[in-house]
Amino acid sequence: MSNEFYAPGEQRAAKVNDLFARIARRYDFLNDLQSFGLHRSWKRRVARLAGVTPGARALDLCCGTGDIAFALARRGAATTGLDFSPQMLEVANGRSRQLAAGRQPQFVQGDAQQLPFPNHTFDVVTIGYGLRNLTSWERGVDEMFRVARPGARLIVLDFGKPLNAWWRAVYFAHLRLSVPLIGLLFCGNASAYAYILESLKHYPAQFAVAEKMRALKLKNVRVINLLGGAMAINYGEKPR
Ligand SMILES: C[S@@+](CC[C@H](N)C(=O)[O-])C[C@H]1O[C@@H](n2cnc3c(N)ncnc32)[C@H](O)[C@@H]1O
């Protein structure tokens, strides 16, 4: 079944932008509802894995309303969050204004596939629930690699594909039925949430991301499966 927010190829970005413009105000609330609040602990895990020390430079791509960027900034990193949606960035900036100066990430509008930063700039580059939305996820990883300093950590958090067939069927049924229903009831938009499954079908997920990291010769490449692979974190370090 097709989805109004999923388009292959070059039309992809406009559709994704439209989707997040529509749901930006409810995004955080719906995230809590759909994941039973678990996304918070997965994002904290990303921030722990980032291992930032005060003064480190961190970049969070597809930052949305800023959860991961805030977590990195709280740990003392000079953090930049990048997203192409003005509406999501508006929410992120609103949250940022509640924080003490010095703890505030800098939010920048831009395309994760064409980053406005020089090579070898950041000590950590993260992306949460973003790679799956890009026209080319490989290009996204290439850009993460390009702007990372030698020794930097690259971390990807996204929906995964469980290897166990039974669990995958249950989980996909949840994405097909309950997630759009929650979207309809609380956001008035089932299609925006049906998009998650549609985008996941076209995304090769955690094991392909690990392959790509190995192809880039990253060190200590790891896949951390969460909830039996329904979610996953990919980790790798740029060689020195
Ligand atoms: C599902 S949200 C994730 C937000 C946040 N990282 C989180 O985990 O809550 C995906 C975000 O990716 C952004 N996005 C999608 N494609 C993008 C692109 N090509 N460049 C920059 N941001 C993009 C969207 O605007 C949206 O804010």
Side-chain angles (χ1 to χ4, degrees), residues 34-106:
Q34 283 170 347
S35 71
F36 311 105
L38 287 169
H39 73 106
R40 291 167 183 265
S41 76
W42 299 327
K43 289 169 179 169
R44 278 197 298 273
R45 180 108 180 239
V46 168
R48 278 200 304 278
L49 280 167
V52 291
T53 46
R57 291 193 70 181
L59 174 66
D60 180 43
L61 298 176
C62 297
C63 65
T65 58
D67 282 348
I68 295 174
F70 288 121
L72 295 168
R74 261 196 305 277
R75 286 171 152 78
T79 305
T80 302
L82 177 138
D83 200 285
F84 72 4
S85 165
Q87 292 82 359
M88 294 292 269
L89 289 175
E90 202 183 309
V91 178
N93 278 314
R95 292 175 70 188
S96 193
R97 281 192 285 276
Q98 326 275 328
L99 299 177
R103 290 254 169 150
Q104 296 168 325
Q106 187 197 8

Side-chain angles (χ1 to χ4, degrees), residues 13 16-17 20-21 27-28 31 39 43 60-68 82-85 88 110-113 127-130 132-135 157 159:
V16 171
N17 216 324
F20 286 102
Y27 178 79
D28 290 331
N31 253 359
H39 73 106
K43 289 169 179 169
D60 180 43
L61 298 176
C62 297
C63 65
T65 58
D67 282 348
I68 295 174
L82 177 138
D83 200 285
F84 72 4
S85 165
M88 294 292 269
D111 186 346
Q113 299 170 113
I127 183 165
Y129 301 105
R132 177 178 40 87
N133 294 305
L134 303 184
T135 306
L157 166 67
F159 288 87

Side-chain angles (χ1 to χ4, degrees), residues 164-185:
N164 179 286
W166 175 85
W167 176 228
R168 192 167 57 241
V170 171
Y171 164 58
F172 277 25
H174 168 66
L175 292 179
R176 185 175 304 110
L177 303 169
S178 7
V179 167
L181 184 65
I182 292 172
L184 179 66
L185 292 178

